[in-house]
Amino acid sequence: MGVSPREIAIARKLYRTVIGALLGLSLIYALAFMLLINYQWREYREAERAVSINYVTDGKVLDAAIGMADQHAVKDRDKARRNLIVLTGALIAGLMLAVLVFLAVRRAVAAMVRLQTVGVMADITDHKHIEAALKESEERFRQFSESINVGFWILDSNPRCVTYVNRAFTQMSGLEADEVYRSPVPRIDVVHEDDRQTVKLAFEEWLQGEPSSLLEIDYRIVRPDGEMRWIHDHGVKLQDENGQTFRILGISEDITDRKRTDEAIKAMSRALEQKAGELATVNRELEAFAYSVSHDLRAPLRHVDGYLSLLQKRVSPLLDETSQRYLATISKATERMASLIDDLLAFSRMGRTELNKTVVPLNRLIKDVIGELKTETENRHIDWIVKPLPDVFVDAALFRQVFFSLIENAVKYTRPRPQARIEIGCINDDGNEAIIFVSDNGVGFDMKYVDKLFGVFQRLHRAEEFEGTGIGLANVARIIQRHGGRVWAVGDKDKGATFYVAIPLEEKDK
Amino acid sequence: MTSDRVKVLLVEDSEYDAELALTALSDRCHADQIVVVGDGEDALDYLYFRGNFSDRAPGNPSLIVLDIKMPKVDGLEVLRTIKADAQLKVIPVVMLTSSREERDVIESYRLGSNAYVVKPLVFSEFYEAVKELGVFWLKINEPCPVGG
């Protein structure tokens, strides 16, 4: 219930006037009585004094006078006493009456204004507190709202108008607060025309939706200065006791930078995807090319070799030693070319076939590989040191190829050693990856060529020294890479080499 | 009569490969027991007495050696036709090709190929492979008594 301070002031004024008038009346009435009484007393006193004087000056007269005076005085005194009693009674009655009237009037006036006065008195007290609290909270709100970096706005829904925007909002939108307050369709004009309809629809839909639902919407605005900004709005609805939305509180964030970064990232990842796609295509094409080239090279090579053999059979008895050597050299060259082509084919095929992963116990795999190399190791003195190795989740056939290459190399490059030493172990098995090494005391290599080790057809030795096409380690690197692992080598010329294979361990390995 | 009968139908588009294969097979059979055709169309014409082969002597070969990569009708197409034919399907077909492609191998077996041999690059190995192939299919293996 609302009683305005003005109404309270009027009531108080009225109250004071009535009380004042009553008090005044009572006082006048009382004064009149006092004057009357005083007059009566004075009359009496004067009569008494006259008698006394006469009494003093003349003895005779005195007696007569006394007698007379006494009579008179007694009469007057009685009269004065009577009057005094009457007057006193009247005065008392008057005062009482005045008091009664005063009380009655006061009650009447009080009754008249009591509700308001009392209520208002109470209200005023509360009001004062609330006023102070409100003032403080308003100040706090203002400080907060004006100092934050996000736009804050209040939209009343009936009639629909913006009743508050903070400084950040005006800065963000480029609109003056007054403009916003005046606008009948708040702020929609500032929304980019492409987004306007979407924003309208989204806003109305949200307004009609669940009371507790939040407004979340992104859109662009075009500021009066022509600058475009991306805005993100969050909004909440406030309901009155009837459940009607009467107010909306909103926050507007300038997400232009974020949007731009997002756009840049998107553009970048699109470009990257495209590049990756192109690379994959190029890679596929290259592999297909490598395959078809090596495939197509095979036929003529087979013919060269085939007809050379037939020729050798026919003419060999007729040829001199030099001619025979020429033929043998051609044959050897074709053989070498054949193995290069076969290796290239295998390498290209290896990059294309799917990995078929199973749990592979490395110790058994190494044992098998060493067994397979029996012909190469038959007449050699080799100390094999095979440490405990983990089980890994890999393509078994490809991993056999990896360790076959590494161990075959170790056997091959320790050939000059009367006592070869080949060690296979695991230096790290921390649950994330296992690092397996194959180490030998062979001819080693110069670390400045370490980059060439894993290249296709890259060799650090002449074929006459150590046979091979130079595909083995390229395959090793490729297989390990396909398993998400790493491969590297450490060598020392004439002292030996160590090859490391790091394999990521998966859940199944642990 | 056996000596007159065609033992091998060699379908090979490369005449050099054909000659080298003939050399390897010559231990097992006479040259006149081997018919060499250069593509899949000729192979089917031969088997169905069509075109150039409409007047050929009756009877089917004991073994068909089929290359895959050939002009016009490729080896897989010839294989599909043979294996879909009730009369011809009993003839052993050996794919002799330079393709080691997994899909070619799988497709060949799926279509009913009896063997798949990748031509070795080195002649000595090629020679041995084709020779052994002849020995196995023409000597060791017992052919189907009916149909072929």
Side-chain angles (χ1 to χ4, degrees):
Chain A
M1 47 159 254
V3 178
S4 72
R6 196 164 157 263
E7 284 171 311
I8 295 163
I10 291 168
R12 294 170 100 188
K13 204 169 171 185
L14 176 67
Y15 174 76
R16 267 200 302 269
T17 312
V18 171
I19 299 293
L22 282 171
L23 281 174
L25 273 172
S26 306
L27 271 172
I28 291 163
Y29 190 63
L31 263 168
F33 273 102
M34 293 289 278
L35 284 171
L36 186 61
I37 290 163
N38 202 29
Y39 172 74
Q40 294 269 345
W41 270 108
R42 204 168 59 199
E43 216 177 6
Y44 165 70
R45 287 251 176 221
E46 267 174 20
E48 209 175 44
R49 197 175 61 186
V51 171
S52 306
I53 293 163
N54 288 341
Y55 183 76
V56 174
T57 53
D58 187 356
K60 273 191 188 170
V61 177
L62 186 69
D63 290 340
I66 287 171
M68 222 173 70
D70 277 352
Q71 273 182 334
H72 189 75
V74 167
K75 210 169 77 188
D76 274 1
R77 199 168 53 210
D78 288 348
K79 193 183 168 192
R81 273 193 192 133
R82 232 180 9 254
N83 277 342
L84 187 62
I85 289 162
V86 170
L87 280 173
T88 309
L91 182 61
I92 290 166
L95 274 172
M96 281 173 71
L97 182 70
V99 167
L100 280 173
V101 168
F102 165 69
L103 286 175
V105 171
R106 193 190 140 164
R107 276 182 84 145
V109 172
M112 196 170 78
V113 295
R114 187 175 52 215
L115 273 176
Q116 285 198 347
T117 313
V118 172
V120 165
M121 299 278 251
D123 267 4
I124 286 168
T125 320
D126 281 357
H127 189 79
K128 285 288 171 197
H129 282 143
I130 289 166
E131 217 167 62
L134 259 178
K135 211 170 170 192
E136 200 189 326
S137 104
E138 204 178 292
E139 182 59 23
R140 256 188 278 164
F141 163 76
R142 208 188 57 77
Q143 283 172 354
F144 162 74
S145 151
E146 294 301 304
S147 63
I148 54 172
N149 263 336
V150 289
F152 181 73
W153 45 268
I154 299 172
L155 175 70
D156 280 2
S157 41
N158 203 12
R160 195 178 285 183
C161 65
V162 175
T163 52
Y164 177 77
V165 291
N166 71 346
R167 191 180 46 82
F169 183 91
T170 54
Q171 283 177 352
M172 184 194 303
S173 64
L175 299 171
E176 294 298 325
D178 289 346
E179 279 179 78
V180 182
Y181 298 154
R182 272 204 310 271
S183 172
V185 192
R187 309 193 292 120
I188 197 71
D189 295 344
V190 85
V191 175
H192 192 288
E193 56 180 347
D194 291 353
D195 293 349
R196 215 170 281 164
Q197 203 54 31
T198 326
V199 170
K200 265 187 196 167
L201 285 174
F203 185 80
E204 295 304 328
E205 196 182 318
W206 169 71
L207 207 55
Q208 304 306 321
E210 275 293 296
S212 60
S213 63
L214 299 176
L215 175 72
E216 298 285 347
I217 184 171
D218 285 2
Y219 56 91
R220 286 162 294 174
I221 59 166
V222 180
R223 293 157 47 102
D225 59 14
E227 199 187 323
M228 201 200 81
R229 294 271 179 99
W230 271 100
I231 304 293
H232 179 81
D233 272 4
H234 315 260
V236 288
K237 293 180 273 194
L238 302 184
Q239 278 86 26
D240 59 19
E241 54 265 37
N242 301 321
Q244 294 298 310
T245 298
F246 71 97
R247 188 163 290 164
I248 292 151
L249 305 182
I251 284 175
S252 295
E253 257 182 291
D254 188 337
I255 54 165
T256 312
D257 289 349
R258 200 202 305 163
K259 277 279 177 188
R260 281 190 188 140
T261 317
D262 283 358
E263 289 291 320
I265 289 171
K266 266 187 207 156
M268 208 182 284
S269 66
R270 266 199 303 275
L272 272 177
E273 258 170 47
Q274 201 185 334
K275 273 276 173 284
E278 281 169 18
L279 270 178
T281 312
V282 168
N283 213 23
R284 268 198 304 277
E285 278 169 5
L286 263 178
E287 268 168 359
F289 174 76
Y291 183 81
S292 92
V293 163
S294 46
H295 188 266
D296 291 348
L297 283 175
R298 286 165 64 100
L301 189 67
R302 194 168 52 242
H303 303 151
V304 171
D305 193 49
Y307 285 95
L308 186 68
S309 294
L310 295 180
L311 181 67
Q312 254 175 329
K313 258 186 213 161
R314 279 177 82 96
V315 303
S316 194
L318 314 170
L319 294 178
D320 62 16
E321 208 176 302
T322 309
S323 305
Q324 296 228 14
R325 190 171 59 80
Y326 288 168
L327 282 180
T329 307
I330 297 171
S331 179
K332 239 190 249 167
T334 47
E335 258 175 55
R336 176 151 179 83
M337 188 163 170
S339 48
L340 284 171
I341 289 173
D342 272 351
D343 283 351
L344 192 60
L345 267 176
F347 182 74
S348 122
R349 207 170 33 242
M350 207 264 312
R352 289 178 299 155
T353 44
E354 290 291 313
L355 294 183
N356 178 21
K357 288 187 178 183
T358 51
V359 176
V360 177
L362 282 180
N363 274 100
R364 204 164 71 205
L365 186 141
I366 300 292
K367 203 179 152 209
D368 291 351
V369 168
I370 294 172
E372 276 178 62
L373 287 164
K374 214 176 156 195
T375 18
E376 284 86 345
T377 55
E378 244 168 4
N379 298 311
R380 299 265 312 272
H381 293 287
I382 301 174
D383 289 338
W384 291 100
I385 300 149
V386 183
K387 299 272 178 65
L389 301 171
D391 294 356
V392 289
F393 187 65
V394 295
D395 186 305
L398 293 179
F399 256 64
R400 172 180 288 266
Q401 203 181 323
V402 165
F403 286 101
F404 188 88
S405 288
L406 294 179
I407 296 170
E408 188 192 33
N409 278 353
V411 169
K412 183 160 63 176
Y413 295 108
T414 52
R415 210 185 289 143
R417 302 281 180 263
Q419 191 67 48
R421 186 179 187 278
I422 298 172
E423 185 178 345
I424 299 128
C426 179
I427 54 167
N428 182 31
D429 186 4
D430 64 358
N432 294 319
E433 65 174 10
I435 300 175
I436 316 293
F437 67 87
V438 177
S439 155
D440 64 61
N441 64 339
V443 298
F445 61 90
D446 191 330
M447 279 303 274
K448 71 179 168 193
Y449 300 122
V450 72
D451 292 344
K452 295 195 167 187
L453 272 182
F454 297 99
V456 178
F457 296 146
Q458 294 278 5
R459 302 215 61 212
L460 299 185
H461 302 276
R462 287 184 299 124
E464 286 77 9
E465 275 181 293
F466 294 104
E467 68 289 352
T469 56
I471 200 81
L473 287 179
N475 267 332
V476 166
R478 188 110 193 229
I479 291 167
I480 298 304
Q481 275 160 14
R482 287 200 64 196
H483 281 80
R486 296 168 293 136
V487 58
W488 69 98
V490 176
D492 200 349
K493 200 159 168 42
D494 295 325
K495 295 217 173 89
T498 306
F499 286 82
Y500 297 91
V501 169
I503 313 150
L505 293 174
E506 293 178 26
E507 283 307 312
K508 291 187 181 72
D509 307 330
K510 294 174 188 170
Chain B
M1 280 301 284
T2 5
S3 63
D4 293 342
R5 188 175 165 189
V6 167
K7 287 185 174 173
V8 179
L9 173 65
L10 179 62
V11 191
E12 172 63 76
D13 68 320
S14 154
E15 56 176 304
Y16 301 137
D17 270 344
E19 192 180 351
L20 294 173
L22 278 177
T23 323
L25 285 170
S26 60
D27 284 2
R28 202 56 14 228
C29 42
H30 293 294
D32 56 3
Q33 290 176 307
I34 302 172
V35 172
V36 180
V37 293
D39 60 54
E41 195 179 73
D42 278 355
L44 292 176
D45 281 354
Y46 179 87
L47 291 170
Y48 288 105
F49 301 89
R50 296 186 305 221
N52 295 335
F53 300 99
S54 51
D55 299 328
R56 76 160 173 94
N60 283 328
S62 310
L63 174 69
I64 298 169
V65 178
L66 205 52
D67 193 5
I68 290 182
K69 230 175 106 184
M70 285 186 299
K72 293 194 264 189
V73 182
D74 74 9
L76 293 174
E77 201 51 52
V78 176
L79 178 66
R80 184 177 291 120
T81 311
I82 294 169
K83 292 301 177 185
D85 186 302
Q87 294 291 313
L88 301 177
K89 71 193 285 184
V90 297
I91 309 171
V93 178
V94 174
M95 308 307 287
L96 181 64
T97 169
S98 40
S99 168
R100 208 186 283 269
E101 284 288 89
E102 207 174 60
R103 59 189 154 89
D104 286 342
V105 183
I106 292 170
E107 188 63 8
S108 294
Y109 279 114
R110 193 171 287 151
L111 291 172
S113 157
N114 300 78
Y116 193 102
V117 177
V118 178
K119 293 174 186 169
L121 253 183
V122 179
F123 178 70
S124 53
E125 290 170 23
F126 177 84
Y127 184 87
E128 283 304 312
V130 176
K131 200 173 126 179
E132 277 174 32
L133 189 152
V135 170
F136 179 80
W137 289 106
L138 299 176
K139 193 178 172 199
I140 300 171
N141 186 55
E142 192 67 45
C144 179
V146 293

